[in-house]
Amino acid sequence: MNFHVLTLFPEMVAAGLSESIIGRAAAKGIIGINAVNIRDFTDDKHKKTDDYIYGGGAGLLMQAQPVYAAHKSVLEKIGGGKVRTVYLTPQGKTFHQGMAEEFAKEEDLIFLCGHYEGIDERVLERVVTDYVSLGDFVLTGGELAAMVMIDAIARLVPDVLHNDSSVVEETFSGYLLEYPQYTRPEVWMGERVPDALLSGNHKKIREWRQQKAEERTRLNRPDLYAAYEKLIQCRRELLRDKLHHMDMAELIFREKAELLYHDSEGTLLRDRMSGCFMFTAKSREAGGRILDAFLPSGKEMPELWAVHQDFLGEEMARRLNMTVFLCVRQAVYTRREAPPLKAQDIRQLSAEHAEVVRHHYAMEDEDYIRDRIAHGAMYGIFVENELAGFIGEHAEGGMGMLTVLPAYRRRGLAAALESFLIHKTLQKGYTPFCQVEEENEASLKLQEKLGLYIAREKVWWYKKSY
Ligand code: ADE
């Protein structure tokens, strides 16, 4: 991922992002930091980039021309296309973790840093897609704010952080504040490190950390704690019908869920990563009520919904002008041991495989395939060094896209690929599941053979119709 920063102080940005984790990631080429000096783009022979404000007022304003030219130069360098351009300003939307997750999905991001009294409105209107603030205070310029955002976004880019945060245990720590941590010496100013942490007993350590994280959150952020408790309760209820609702329960377990609505009559979740909505309700009336609560006029609705009852689908079609494009049954692997793994040449795929994957898997577009590959979520099976088949994890968490190329069928490669991904998923502490189209008999048979249980009820995928 590349961060382009348009600024009058490029050295400040380059220096601020050249150290520690972000600096190392940039040095290794995992992320790119491109500080662009707006002054290099002014037409003014004295290299001036600012001027007095029409109508009066204290101070100077950055002029449109150099900002526009600097922005254009970045677009040309990237090769055009739509690139989100963030203007740092106290007038923007307040930055938060969900926004960082959203921005981390982009390949390129441009940050525009104002100085003095700001920037001529006309160029902002032309280039800016997102106005973002760090909070209700005023900085002398946007550079520090851009650096804060880059730090928060870059640490979400795969491989920037080394510690394997994918090893998730049943703690839901992602919804809580961090537990306290200690390093050597064991006793400092008479205070000992808590016994549990010195015990070497992993279960005990995990429980201690969970308890402290909960305590801290309850005391310092009762709002977060209330949301956390509701999510835990919601997951428990979803798991009463786990085959039908494993997608939603896993979204919560994998710490990606935003709970939009939950009561005994229904649940509406948003996947914070993919933006898709997942919806279940006991009755058509309850579903209608929940939809009404989430349909205030003008509010942007997500493109994709996974709907767990047919009557809800009918409501969606009627109210939201959405159409069903896929009807699936969920298959869930409920054991903790993976099916036997055969020695096979299975490797994580890289960008060079995107085209061939897309060629053999027409259900998704190439951008989606590229995104999955970039997240390290696609695996290929190779026979004599040739790609013979592939499987991936969908953005919402299910296994899918399982394909064996025609020349390699009937050799057990599909089973090998899925067993491999089941194994990987279990290693992370997650429950493997997939969604199979009802008419795909071969896949349903494979699921049963591998020991997955298939839900009786279906899930319908809806998208906006234009
Ligand atoms: N520029 C000046 N103040 C700012 C703030 N609070 N957030 C983002 N950018 C800014």
Side-chain angles (χ1 to χ4, degrees):
M1 174 170 194
N2 299 305
F3 301 92
H4 310 269
V5 187
L6 311 182
T7 167
L8 288 173
F9 302 95
E11 290 88 4
M12 174 180 177
V13 173
L17 296 172
S18 68
E19 299 283 341
S20 185
I21 296 172
I22 305 301
R24 267 200 305 276
K28 283 193 195 157
I30 300 167
I31 55 168
I33 309 280
N34 172 29
V36 178
N37 192 348
I38 294 172
R39 200 174 298 285
D40 291 343
F41 292 87
T42 176
D43 286 344
D44 183 83
K45 61 176 185 284
H46 304 296
K47 292 276 172 204
K48 201 163 70 83
T49 56
D50 46 40
D51 215 325
Y52 294 104
I53 304 173
Y54 279 119
L60 298 166
L61 205 63
M62 284 167 67
Q63 292 170 294
Q65 178 276 320
V67 170
Y68 187 72
H71 186 263
K72 192 163 161 231
S73 82
V74 172
L75 291 186
E76 280 164 4
K77 181 173 165 178
I78 298 169
K82 241 176 69 186
V83 182
R84 286 176 83 168
T85 298
V86 179
Y87 178 50
L88 290 313
T89 165
Q91 274 88 54
K93 283 198 189 141
T94 310
F95 189 52
H96 57 81
Q97 190 64 23
M99 220 190 255
E101 287 164 8
E102 189 67 34
F103 282 125
K105 289 189 239 157
E106 303 293 323
E107 192 48 43
D108 287 277
L109 271 182
I110 303 178
F111 292 86
L112 174 56
C113 306
H115 241 272
Y116 314 114
E117 290 306 310
I119 302 183
D120 190 306
E121 191 67 21
R122 291 166 296 184
V123 69
L124 297 180
E125 282 169 9
R126 274 185 193 256
V127 305
V128 174
T129 56
D130 300 88
Y131 293 78
V132 182
S133 166
L134 284 199
D136 289 335
F137 48 83
V138 183
L139 301 168
T140 56
E143 284 77 8
L144 282 171
M147 287 192 266
V148 167
M149 278 187 73
I150 292 170
D151 191 280
I153 297 165
R155 65 184 285 285
L156 303 175
V157 172
D159 298 332
V160 168
L161 293 185
H162 289 296
N163 53 340
D164 189 5
S165 57
S166 58
V167 185
V168 178
E169 277 133 5
E170 190 138 356
T171 59
F172 302 94
S173 51
Y175 300 117
L176 295 170
L177 299 182
E178 186 90 84
Y179 44 77
Q181 300 192 85
Y182 306 85
T183 183
R184 278 200 275 200
E186 219 172 282
V187 182
W188 182 75
M189 290 210 176
E191 264 199 79
R192 265 180 71 76
V193 171
D195 286 340
L197 300 180
L198 302 171
S199 67
N201 176 338
H202 292 297
K203 184 162 177 280
K204 211 164 151 188
I205 294 172
R206 207 162 56 233
E207 283 168 2
W208 185 89
R209 288 180 165 165
Q210 175 73 9
Q211 188 201 334
K212 291 292 165 191
E214 286 187 10
E215 262 172 39
R216 270 194 173 178
T217 313
R218 200 169 43 235
L219 282 174
N220 300 340
R221 289 291 304 273
D223 55 328
L224 279 188
Y225 191 75
Y228 161 76
E229 274 194 311
K230 228 173 161 187
L231 269 171
I232 301 299
Q233 171 69 17
C234 171
R235 175 169 174 265
R236 208 172 294 134
E237 286 169 25
L238 288 167
L239 284 176
R240 286 190 195 138
D241 187 359
K242 65 178 170 191
L243 298 187
H244 190 205
H245 288 131
M246 190 50 81
D247 54 344
M248 298 179 78
E250 276 294 287
L251 198 69
I252 296 175
F253 184 68
R254 299 183 193 188
E255 301 177 345
K256 297 199 303 159
E258 181 186 348
L259 186 57
L260 300 177
Y261 187 94
H262 174 68
D263 67 11
S264 59
E265 292 294 297
T267 302
L268 180 60
L269 296 179
R270 191 180 90 94
D271 177 356
R272 288 193 281 130
M273 302 306 276
S274 74
C276 113
F277 275 31
M278 296 185 185
F279 190 20
T280 188
K282 293 249 164 77
S283 66
R284 190 179 192 128
E285 295 65 41
R289 245 188 309 110
I290 298 170
L291 278 178
D292 284 340
F294 281 88
L295 289 175
S297 55
K299 191 162 167 176
E300 209 174 294
M301 290 313 262
E303 300 264 317
L304 264 186
W305 291 64
V307 177
H308 289 64
Q309 288 79 21
D310 51 358
F311 52 75
L312 290 184
E314 287 158 23
E315 288 294 306
M316 308 259 315
R318 196 165 64 80
R319 293 166 192 236
L320 293 171
N321 192 26
M322 299 197 95
T323 46
V324 67
F325 68 98
L326 198 57
C327 173
V328 292
R329 287 168 74 192
Q330 210 143 254
V332 181
Y333 191 84
T334 53
R335 284 180 287 139
R336 297 316 299 166
E337 320 77 49
L341 286 179
K342 290 198 208 105
Q344 297 275 8
D345 183 6
I346 299 179
R347 308 176 210 157
Q348 194 172 313
L349 294 182
S350 50
E352 82 232 34
H353 299 111
E355 242 170 81
V356 53
V357 169
R358 169 66 178 82
H359 178 76
H360 290 283
Y361 190 78
M363 282 270 288
E364 304 288 353
D365 60 30
E366 200 171 313
D367 280 352
Y368 181 75
I369 306 273
R370 284 189 186 282
D371 171 80
R372 296 290 78 217
I373 289 176
H375 279 84
M378 296 278 326
Y379 298 91
I381 191 160
F382 290 79
V383 174
E384 285 159 11
N385 235 5
E386 293 291 327
L387 183 70
F390 50 83
I391 193 167
E393 190 182 279
H394 278 296
E396 305 79 30
M399 303 182 292
M401 297 172 273
L402 177 58
T403 304
V404 175
L405 275 51
Y408 299 94
R409 291 190 181 149
R410 305 198 164 275
R411 303 187 195 183
L413 299 192
L417 275 165
E418 189 167 330
S419 300
F420 173 87
L421 193 52
I422 288 174
H423 185 79
K424 284 251 157 212
T425 311
L426 289 173
Q427 266 183 340
K428 294 185 200 164
Y430 298 161
T431 300
F433 69 95
C434 62
Q435 299 186 332
V436 184
E437 280 182 85
E438 198 158 32
E439 54 274 23
N440 191 344
E441 301 251 341
S443 176
L444 287 169
K445 261 204 196 116
L446 175 66
Q447 306 316 321
E448 273 171 346
K449 182 176 140 198
L450 293 177
L452 287 90
Y453 290 98
I454 296 165
R456 246 182 317 114
E457 304 86 349
K458 295 178 225 163
V459 175
W460 290 264
W461 281 89
Y462 275 77
K463 68 176 174 196
K464 257 215 186 101
S465 45
Y466 292 98

